[in-house]
Coordinates of all heavy atoms in Angstrom, one line a residue:
L264 N 4.8 6.8 -27.9 CA 4.3 5.5 -28.3 C 4.7 4.3 -27.3 O 5.8 4.4 -27.0 CB 4.7 5.2 -29.7 CG 4.5 3.9 -30.3 CD1 2.9 3.9 -30.5 CD2 5.2 3.6 -31.6
T265 N 3.8 3.4 -27.0 CA 4.1 2.2 -26.3 C 3.8 1.1 -27.0 O 2.6 0.9 -27.6 CB 3.3 2.3 -25.0 OG1 3.8 3.4 -24.2 CG2 3.6 1.0 -24.1
A266 N 4.7 0.1 -27.2 CA 4.5 -1.2 -27.9 C 4.4 -2.3 -26.9 O 5.2 -2.4 -25.9 CB 5.4 -1.5 -28.9
C267 N 3.4 -3.3 -27.0 CA 3.2 -4.3 -26.0 C 3.2 -5.7 -26.7 O 2.6 -5.9 -27.5 CB 1.9 -4.1 -25.3 SG 1.6 -2.6 -24.4
T268 N 3.8 -6.8 -26.1 CA 3.8 -8.1 -26.2 C 3.1 -8.7 -25.1 O 2.8 -8.0 -24.1 CB 5.0 -8.7 -26.6 OG1 5.8 -8.7 -25.5 CG2 5.7 -8.1 -27.8
L269 N 3.0 -10.1 -25.1 CA 2.3 -10.6 -24.0 C 3.3 -10.6 -22.7 O 2.9 -10.8 -21.6 CB 2.2 -12.2 -24.2 CG 0.9 -12.3 -25.2 CD1 0.8 -14.0 -25.4 CD2 -0.2 -11.8 -24.6
A270 N 4.5 -10.4 -22.9 CA 5.5 -10.2 -22.0 C 5.5 -8.9 -21.1 O 5.9 -8.7 -20.0 CB 7.0 -10.5 -22.4
G271 N 5.0 -7.9 -21.8 CA 5.0 -6.6 -21.2 C 5.0 -5.4 -22.2 O 4.9 -5.7 -23.5
C272 N 5.2 -4.2 -21.7 CA 5.2 -3.0 -22.7 C 6.4 -2.1 -22.4 O 7.0 -2.1 -21.4 CB 3.8 -2.2 -22.3 SG 2.3 -3.1 -22.6
T273 N 6.7 -1.4 -23.5 CA 7.8 -0.6 -23.5 C 7.4 0.8 -24.0 O 6.9 0.8 -25.2 CB 9.0 -1.1 -24.2 OG1 9.4 -2.4 -23.6 CG2 10.1 -0.1 -24.2
E274 N 7.8 1.8 -23.5 CA 7.3 3.2 -24.1 C 8.6 3.9 -24.7 O 9.8 3.6 -24.2 CB 6.8 4.1 -22.8 CG 6.4 5.4 -23.2 CD 5.7 6.2 -22.1 OE1 5.8 5.8 -20.8 OE2 5.1 7.2 -22.3
S275 N 8.3 4.7 -25.6 CA 9.4 5.2 -26.3 C 10.2 6.1 -25.3 O 9.5 6.8 -24.5 CB 9.0 6.1 -27.6 OG 8.0 7.0 -27.2
L276 N 11.5 6.2 -25.5 CA 12.2 7.2 -24.6 C 12.1 8.6 -24.8 O 12.1 9.4 -23.9 CB 13.8 6.7 -24.9 CG 14.2 5.5 -24.4 CD1 15.6 5.1 -24.7 CD2 14.0 5.0 -22.9
H277 N 11.7 9.1 -25.9 CA 11.5 10.4 -26.4 C 10.1 10.5 -26.8 O 9.3 9.7 -27.1 CB 12.6 10.9 -27.5 CG 14.1 10.7 -27.0 ND1 14.6 11.4 -26.0 CD2 14.8 9.7 -27.3 CE1 16.0 11.0 -25.8 NE2 16.1 10.0 -26.7
A278 N 9.7 11.8 -26.7 CA 8.3 12.3 -27.1 C 8.4 13.2 -28.2 O 9.5 13.9 -28.5 CB 7.7 12.8 -26.0
L279 N 7.3 13.4 -28.9 CA 7.0 14.3 -30.0 C 6.1 15.4 -29.5 O 5.1 15.1 -29.0 CB 6.6 13.7 -31.3 CG 6.6 14.6 -32.6 CD1 8.0 14.8 -32.9 CD2 5.9 13.7 -33.8
N280 N 6.5 16.7 -29.5 CA 5.8 17.8 -29.0 C 4.9 18.3 -30.0 O 5.1 18.4 -31.2 CB 6.8 18.8 -28.4 CG 7.7 18.4 -27.3 OD1 7.3 17.5 -26.6 ND2 8.9 18.9 -27.3
I281 N 3.7 18.7 -29.4 CA 2.6 19.4 -30.4 C 1.9 20.5 -29.6 O 1.7 20.1 -28.2 CB 1.7 18.4 -30.9 CG1 0.8 19.0 -32.0 CG2 0.9 17.5 -29.9 CD1 -0.1 18.1 -32.8
S282 N 1.3 21.5 -30.2 CA 0.5 22.5 -29.5 C -0.9 22.4 -30.1 O -1.0 22.5 -31.4 CB 1.1 23.8 -29.6 OG 2.3 24.0 -28.9
T283 N -2.0 22.0 -29.3 CA -3.1 22.1 -29.9 C -3.8 23.3 -30.3 O -3.5 24.4 -29.8 CB -4.2 21.4 -28.9 OG1 -4.1 22.0 -27.7 CG2 -4.0 20.0 -28.8
P284 N -4.6 23.6 -31.4 CA -5.2 24.9 -31.8 C -6.2 25.4 -30.8 O -6.7 24.7 -30.0 CB -5.6 24.7 -33.2 CG -6.0 23.2 -33.0 CD -5.0 22.6 -32.2
Q285 N -6.5 26.8 -31.0 CA -7.5 27.3 -30.1 C -8.8 26.9 -30.6 O -9.1 26.6 -31.8 CB -7.4 28.8 -30.2 CG -6.0 29.5 -29.6 CD -6.0 31.0 -29.7 OE1 -6.8 31.5 -28.9 NE2 -5.2 31.6 -30.5
E286 N -9.8 26.8 -29.6 CA -11.2 26.7 -30.0 C -12.0 27.7 -29.2 O -11.5 28.5 -28.5 CB -11.6 25.3 -29.4 CG -10.9 24.1 -30.1 CD -11.4 23.8 -31.5 OE1 -12.6 24.4 -31.9 OE2 -10.9 23.0 -32.3
A287 N -13.4 27.6 -29.6 CA -14.1 28.7 -28.9 C -14.2 28.6 -27.5 O -14.1 27.4 -27.0 CB -15.6 28.6 -29.5
P288 N -14.4 29.7 -26.7 CA -14.4 29.5 -25.2 C -15.7 28.7 -24.7 O -16.6 28.6 -25.4 CB -14.5 31.0 -24.7 CG -13.9 31.8 -25.8 CD -14.4 31.1 -27.1
E289 N -15.4 28.1 -23.6 CA -16.5 27.3 -23.0 C -16.8 27.8 -21.6 O -15.9 28.5 -20.9 CB -16.1 25.7 -23.0 CG -16.0 25.1 -24.3 CD -15.5 23.8 -24.2 OE1 -14.4 23.5 -23.6 OE2 -16.3 22.8 -24.5
D290 N -18.0 27.6 -21.0 CA -18.3 28.0 -19.7 C -18.2 29.5 -19.6 O -17.5 29.9 -18.5 CB -17.6 27.2 -18.8 CG -17.9 25.7 -18.7 OD1 -19.1 25.4 -19.0 OD2 -17.1 24.9 -18.2
V291 N -18.8 30.2 -20.4 CA -18.7 31.8 -20.3 C -19.6 32.2 -19.1 O -20.7 31.8 -19.0 CB -19.2 32.4 -21.7 CG1 -19.1 34.0 -21.5 CG2 -18.2 32.0 -22.7
Q292 N -19.0 33.0 -18.2 CA -19.7 33.4 -16.9 C -20.7 34.6 -17.1 O -20.3 35.3 -18.0 CB -18.7 33.8 -15.9 CG -17.6 32.7 -15.5 CD -18.3 31.3 -15.2 OE1 -18.8 31.3 -14.1 NE2 -18.1 30.3 -15.9
S293 N -21.9 34.4 -16.6 CA -22.9 35.6 -16.7 C -22.2 36.7 -15.8 O -21.6 36.5 -14.8 CB -24.1 35.0 -16.0 OG -24.7 34.1 -16.8
P294 N -22.6 37.9 -16.3 CA -22.1 39.1 -15.6 C -23.0 39.4 -14.3 O -24.1 39.0 -14.2 CB -22.4 40.3 -16.5 CG -23.7 39.8 -17.4 CD -23.4 38.3 -17.5
T295 N -22.2 40.0 -13.4 CA -22.9 40.6 -12.1 C -22.8 42.1 -12.1 O -22.1 42.7 -12.8 CB -22.2 40.0 -10.8 OG1 -20.8 40.5 -10.8 CG2 -22.2 38.4 -11.0
A296 N -23.8 42.7 -11.4 CA -23.9 44.1 -11.3 C -23.9 44.6 -9.9 O -24.6 44.0 -9.1 CB -25.0 44.5 -12.2
I297 N -23.3 45.8 -9.7 CA -23.5 46.5 -8.5 C -24.3 47.8 -8.8 O -24.0 48.6 -9.7 CB -22.2 47.1 -7.9 CG1 -21.3 45.8 -7.6 CG2 -22.3 47.9 -6.6 CD1 -19.9 46.3 -7.1
S298 N -25.4 48.0 -8.1 CA -26.5 49.0 -8.6 C -26.3 50.4 -7.9 O -25.9 50.5 -6.8 CB -27.8 48.5 -8.4 OG -28.2 48.2 -7.1
F299 N -26.4 51.5 -8.7 CA -26.4 52.8 -8.1 C -27.7 53.5 -8.5 O -28.4 52.9 -9.4 CB -25.2 53.5 -8.6 CG -23.7 52.9 -8.1 CD1 -23.1 52.1 -8.9 CD2 -23.3 53.3 -6.9 CE1 -22.0 51.4 -8.7 CE2 -22.2 52.7 -6.5 CZ -21.4 51.8 -7.2
P300 N -28.1 54.7 -8.1 CA -29.3 55.4 -8.4 C -29.5 55.5 -9.9 O -30.5 55.2 -10.5 CB -29.2 56.7 -7.8 CG -28.3 56.5 -6.5 CD -27.3 55.5 -7.0
T301 N -28.4 55.8 -10.7 CA -28.7 56.1 -12.0 C -27.6 55.2 -13.0 O -27.5 55.6 -14.1 CB -28.5 57.6 -12.4 OG1 -27.1 57.9 -12.0 CG2 -29.5 58.4 -11.7
S302 N -27.1 54.3 -12.3 CA -26.0 53.5 -13.1 C -25.9 52.1 -12.5 O -26.2 51.8 -11.4 CB -24.6 54.2 -13.2 OG -24.1 54.4 -11.8
L303 N -25.2 51.3 -13.3 CA -24.9 50.0 -12.9 C -23.4 49.7 -13.2 O -22.8 50.0 -14.4 CB -25.6 48.9 -13.7 CG -27.3 48.7 -13.4 CD1 -27.9 47.8 -14.3 CD2 -27.4 48.4 -12.0
M304 N -22.6 49.1 -12.3 CA -21.3 48.6 -12.5 C -21.2 47.1 -12.6 O -21.6 46.4 -11.9 CB -20.4 48.9 -11.2 CG -19.0 48.3 -11.3 SD -18.1 49.1 -12.6 CE -17.6 50.7 -11.6
V305 N -21.1 46.9 -13.9 CA -21.2 45.5 -14.5 C -19.9 44.7 -14.6 O -18.8 45.4 -15.1 CB -22.0 45.4 -15.9 CG1 -22.2 44.0 -16.2 CG2 -23.3 46.1 -15.9
N306 N -19.7 43.7 -14.0 CA -18.4 42.9 -13.8 C -18.6 41.5 -14.5 O -19.8 40.9 -14.4 CB -17.9 42.8 -12.4 CG -17.6 44.2 -11.9 OD1 -16.5 44.6 -12.1 ND2 -18.6 44.7 -11.1
W307 N -17.6 41.0 -14.9 CA -17.8 39.5 -15.4 C -16.3 38.9 -15.3 O -15.3 39.6 -15.3 CB -18.4 39.3 -16.8 CG -17.5 40.1 -17.8 CD1 -16.5 39.6 -18.6 CD2 -17.7 41.4 -18.3 NE1 -16.0 40.6 -19.4 CE2 -16.8 41.7 -19.2 CE3 -18.5 42.5 -17.9 CZ2 -16.6 42.8 -19.8 CZ3 -18.6 43.7 -18.5 CH2 -17.6 43.8 -19.5
S308 N -16.3 37.6 -15.1 CA -15.1 36.8 -14.9 C -14.7 36.2 -16.3 O -15.6 35.9 -17.2 CB -15.1 35.8 -13.8 OG -15.5 36.2 -12.6
P309 N -13.5 35.9 -16.5 CA -13.0 35.2 -17.7 C -13.8 33.9 -17.8 O -14.1 33.3 -16.8 CB -11.6 35.0 -17.6 CG -11.1 36.0 -16.6 CD -12.3 36.2 -15.7
P310 N -14.0 33.2 -19.0 CA -14.5 32.0 -19.1 C -13.8 30.9 -18.2 O -12.5 31.0 -18.2 CB -14.4 31.6 -20.5 CG -14.3 32.9 -21.2 CD -13.7 33.8 -20.3
K311 N -14.4 29.9 -17.7 CA -13.8 28.8 -17.0 C -12.7 28.1 -17.9 O -11.7 27.6 -17.6 CB -14.7 27.8 -16.5 CG -15.5 28.4 -15.3 CD -16.4 27.4 -14.6 CE -17.2 28.0 -13.4 NZ -17.9 27.0 -12.8
N312 N -13.1 28.0 -19.1 CA -12.3 27.4 -20.2 C -12.2 28.2 -21.5 O -12.9 28.2 -22.4 CB -12.9 25.9 -20.7 CG -13.0 25.0 -19.7 OD1 -12.0 24.7 -18.7 ND2 -14.0 24.4 -19.6
P313 N -11.1 29.1 -21.3 CA -10.9 30.1 -22.3 C -10.6 29.5 -23.6 O -10.8 30.1 -24.8 CB -9.8 31.0 -22.0 CG -9.2 30.2 -20.9 CD -10.1 29.3 -20.2

Side-chain angles (χ1 to χ4, degrees):
L264 172 69
T265 299
C267 300
T268 64
L269 289 179
C272 301
T273 301
E274 188 173 9
S275 57
L276 292 177
H277 304 286
L279 194 60
N280 298 328
I281 187 174
S282 297
T283 51
Q285 300 185 64
E286 294 285 349
E289 296 177 295
D290 292 334
V291 178
Q292 304 299 297
S293 300
T295 59
I297 300 175
S298 59
F299 298 93
T301 59
S302 64
L303 292 173
M304 173 65 76
V305 183
N306 298 273
W307 58 90
S308 300
K311 289 185 177 180
N312 297 316

